[in-house]
Amino acid sequence: AEDIIQEVQSLRAAGEDQAKVLTREDLMSIMRGKLIETLDVRRASAKSGTDAIENDATEDESYSTSSSASAIRFASPEDKIPTVLFVMGANGMGKTTTIGKLAHRLKKEGNQTVLMAACDTFRAGAVDQLQQWADRAEVDIYGPNQEERTPTEIVSGAMAKALREGYHTVLVDTAGRLSNNWELTEELVNMKKAIQERLSVRNSDDGQPIPNSDVPHESLLVLDAAQGRMALDSSRIWNKEVGLSGLILTKLDGSARGGSVVAISRELDLPVKLIGVGEGIDDLRDFEAEKFVDGLLGIGAAGGKSSTSEGAMLASRLETLRKERASRAPEIKKKKEPVAAGRREEAMPSDIGRKRNVGSKRKNRRKKGKR
């Protein structure tokens, strides 16, 4: 809200037209533009080698995931290790379902061999549910066994299997938890350490493997679109304790629009990577900031209206407002500079004289005291 208010104030006409009131369309264009800029985290922090699941996106697109931090990051072929996507979230957010859909996309669109790591040993039936999704997506799964029963042991075994058999990607399912469950949060930390040790690519001078801090390649937090303030509070804790690289927003097929993700993305500097728009196996899509914001604000086709050009019209209006602001900047600067300089010049003699008078009064007092 503060960003939008500041933008409104700066875009109002300056000088003689300072009292000009912006129209409803002006305000809507500003709100839309600032929300898109907040969510479109195409930043320098996006690492080289990043690639989107959909490879047909072009660099010319305004919000192409292939050139932004919203893309899923995969392992470099030179490292000779599998890509590890570490998925976490609270109970009921759609985490296991999301993993199943993602596995399907990776195999179908990316032609990858995928291994699911069933590390949710806390919830009854979690492993069976993931097995069902593995069958639907036609990928392999690694779960609890006689020798490996804890989440840390299971994920370590899954990494070993992936290395041994040459899987492209490992999707790690974790137990659903609340952010204030410190025991389960500590479990996540230990699981990440186990992954880093198993996927070490360098040894120390004494021959010991050095933990690979570059893995997991993604630590993704799954959020329900209907969540409010609790989503932000939970994200803060998990980002601090475990470390997050992105967000997945689910259940956007209902009435919820997921507005809380804007605050999370802005405060924690986290991109939204994927969105779930239904129960079907194909209902997991790349995040597109423009379409999401249009849906959030009820603009054009994304907001259920017949007009598909309303978003483009608002974008054009914001561009015009910003060009007008840029053209006014030199004139405003010229008007302010002479006044400021004149005030400084007028103030200097009186200030100096005042200082001298104060000094002379002090000397007179000293002389009177001596007498």
Side-chain angles (χ1 to χ4, degrees):
E2 293 178 2
D3 292 345
I4 295 173
I5 292 173
Q6 290 175 2
E7 184 80 354
V8 169
Q9 292 174 342
S10 68
L11 288 174
R12 292 183 66 188
E16 296 178 357
D17 299 327
Q18 204 165 27
K20 180 182 177 181
V21 178
L22 296 174
T23 65
R24 178 186 177 279
E25 287 71 23
D26 293 339
L27 295 175
M28 183 65 81
S29 71
I30 295 169
M31 184 182 299
R32 179 181 184 273
K34 293 303 294 183
L35 288 174
I36 290 173
E37 290 166 3
T38 298
L39 291 167
D40 179 48
V41 286
R42 188 191 297 122
R43 300 183 175 99
S45 60
K47 300 182 180 180
S48 59
T50 300
D51 196 9
I53 294 177
E54 290 188 326
N55 296 320
D56 57 353
T58 63
E59 294 181 358
D60 295 334
E61 292 176 334
S62 299
Y63 297 96
S64 169
T65 55
S66 62
S67 60
S68 76
S70 293
I72 296 291
R73 188 170 70 92
F74 293 98
S76 171
E78 291 77 16
D79 291 338
K80 298 180 180 180
I81 60 173
T83 297
V84 181
L85 306 182
F86 193 78
V87 185
M88 50 187 289
N91 295 306
M93 296 297 104
K95 177 171 49 63
T96 302
T97 301
T98 297
I99 289 175
K101 296 175 183 178
L102 182 54
H104 174 70
R105 283 197 63 182
L106 290 169
K107 180 177 180 180
K108 180 181 177 181
E109 300 175 21
N111 196 29
Q112 294 194 12
T113 53
V114 180
L115 178 65
M116 292 181 179
C119 301
D120 184 358
T121 60
F122 186 75
R123 178 171 63 90
V127 176
D128 292 338
Q129 183 186 3
L130 195 65
Q131 179 67 64
Q132 292 174 1
W133 276 104
D135 295 339
R136 291 183 64 183
E138 298 181 344
V139 300
D140 297 332
I141 186 172
Y142 189 92
N145 52 68
Q146 291 296 326
E147 298 179 354
E148 298 162 336
R149 298 183 179 182
T150 69
T152 302
E153 292 171 343
I154 296 167
V155 78
S156 181
M159 295 303 118
K161 178 180 175 66
L163 285 170
R164 185 171 60 250
E165 301 181 20
Y167 284 89
H168 292 119
T169 302
V170 181
L171 300 177
V172 182
D173 186 22
T174 61
R177 66 205 68 216
L178 294 176
S179 57
N180 59 1
N181 190 324
W182 300 112
E183 183 178 349
L184 290 177
T185 298
E186 185 63 25
E187 179 184 275
L188 292 176
V189 175
N190 292 332
M191 290 173 66
K192 291 188 74 171
K193 288 180 179 178
I195 294 171
Q196 293 171 349
E197 291 173 359
R198 275 291 186 179
L199 299 186
S200 172
V201 294
R202 294 185 299 115
N203 292 331
S204 61
D205 295 337
D206 57 357
Q208 297 298 318
I210 300 174
N212 185 357
S213 60
D214 200 38
V215 295
H217 299 88
E218 294 281 5
S219 295
L220 303 170
L221 178 62
V222 179
L223 299 170
D224 186 328
Q227 278 188 297
R229 178 73 187 182
M230 188 183 75
L232 177 57
D233 295 337
S234 300
S235 301
R236 284 178 184 149
I237 295 173
W238 280 320
N239 189 50
K240 178 182 178 181
E241 299 296 330
V242 184
L244 301 174
S245 63
L247 308 171
I248 298 177
L249 192 61
T250 62
K251 306 181 183 181
L252 278 171
D253 51 323
S255 58
R257 296 188 176 182
S260 62
V261 79
V262 178
I264 297 171
S265 180
R266 180 181 182 276
E267 179 171 325
L268 302 181
D269 198 27
L270 291 173
V272 182
K273 302 275 185 174
L274 301 163
I275 57 172
V277 295
E279 293 296 327
I281 197 169
D282 294 312
D283 292 331
L284 185 69
R285 301 175 185 172
D286 293 335
F287 177 75
E288 297 179 70
E290 278 189 289
K291 290 183 178 179
F292 176 78
V293 171
D294 286 350
L296 190 64
L297 300 178
I299 294 173
K305 300 178 182 179
S306 59
S307 174
T308 58
S309 60
E310 186 179 357
M313 291 172 60
L314 291 173
S316 176
R317 180 54 186 160
L318 179 59
E319 183 180 0
T320 300
L321 288 171
R322 287 176 170 174
K323 284 182 178 179
E324 291 175 355
R325 177 180 60 188
S327 65
R328 292 195 309 266
E331 298 177 5
I332 297 171
K333 189 175 181 181
K334 287 180 181 178
K335 290 178 180 179
K336 288 183 177 181
E337 282 181 350
V339 175
R343 285 178 180 172
R344 284 196 296 269
E345 290 171 3
E346 292 172 7
M348 285 177 64
S350 59
D351 288 345
I352 294 171
R354 192 177 296 113
K355 290 177 182 177
R356 286 176 179 172
N357 291 336
V358 171
S360 61
K361 288 179 180 179
R362 286 176 180 170
K363 289 180 181 179
N364 292 334
R365 287 175 188 155
R366 292 194 195 103
K367 290 177 181 179
K368 290 178 181 177
K370 288 179 181 178
R371 290 175 186 174

